[in-house]
Amino acid sequence: MEKEKIDHIISKFPETKGNLIGILHEIQNEFRYLPEEELRYLSREIEVPMTQIYSIANFYNRFSLTPTGEHELCVCLGTACHVKGGQNVLNQVKKDLKINEEETTEDMKFTLKVVRCLGACSLAPAVMMDDETHSNMTPDLVKELIKSF
């Protein structure tokens, strides 16, 4: 357990109960997921029930309760992306990484997510690698994107 890291994160938030989502974001950024042991420590330290923490963690897609890869690859399958070949892009990613949606590669390098909209419909089909949106993707382009990481 990494108490020091959690204590440091808590110290950034003078009003902890009103900033629980912000604290969870910091923990997610630090560990790339929300580890149970650290959440239990957080619960005790800020006096918020675990049920409330898990309720938030399960509600927001941004949070993960299982370890995620170093890079998050999101393939959009919203209407515009789907119509313009998003499924073909997804199939290529699954083939290249040898994982399915919501899975992480064995080497912990990539986590694959499918989203319904990236808000980039004019760029369809779009994928997001970490925080960067890539437009007009094709199976060949996504293959090159993966290789670049």
Side-chain angles (χ1 to χ4, degrees):
M1 157 124 89
E2 308 229 18
K3 289 181 182 181
E4 302 80 29
K5 288 183 179 181
I6 301 302
D7 288 338
H8 176 71
I9 290 169
I10 292 170
S11 73
K12 296 179 184 180
F13 297 89
E15 170 50 43
T16 54
K17 289 183 180 157
N19 287 305
L20 182 55
I21 292 175
I23 293 169
L24 292 176
H25 276 290
E26 292 279 331
I27 294 171
Q28 177 90 20
N29 290 341
E30 178 67 35
F31 297 96
R32 294 197 320 256
Y33 78 112
L34 299 174
E36 181 180 351
E37 196 172 343
E38 280 73 7
L39 292 182
R40 290 192 182 286
Y41 178 74
L42 174 69
S43 173
R44 288 189 303 273
E45 289 299 302
I46 67 171
E47 299 177 349
V48 170
M50 277 299 289
T51 54
Q52 184 178 348
I53 292 172
Y54 273 119
S55 181
I56 291 169
N58 284 305
F59 180 78
Y60 293 102
N61 287 339
R62 165 71 171 87
F63 298 124
S64 175
L65 295 170
T66 57
T68 59
E70 178 183 344
H71 301 286
E72 182 178 84
L73 177 57
C74 297
V75 177
C76 182
L77 289 184
T79 303
C81 289
H82 180 73
V83 168
K84 290 191 169 189
Q87 186 64 51
N88 295 333
V89 171
L90 175 63
N91 291 343
Q92 185 67 49
V93 171
K94 290 164 68 172
K95 179 181 172 190
D96 289 348
L97 297 180
K98 298 175 179 60
I99 57 173
N100 289 308
E101 298 94 343
E102 305 302 321
E103 291 182 353
T104 300
T105 56
E106 285 184 25
D107 64 3
M108 298 300 290
K109 187 144 180 147
F110 296 98
T111 296
L112 173 60
K113 295 194 175 206
V114 172
V115 296
R116 294 295 162 214
C117 188
L118 289 173
C121 300
S122 64
L123 306 174
V127 302
M128 194 167 202
M129 179 71 86
D130 300 327
D131 293 326
E132 190 175 331
T133 303
H134 299 269
S135 60
N136 302 307
M137 294 305 289
T138 64
D140 288 338
L141 286 174
V142 81
K143 188 178 209 165
E144 290 305 311
L145 176 64
I146 291 168
K147 282 183 186 175
S148 72
F149 281 83

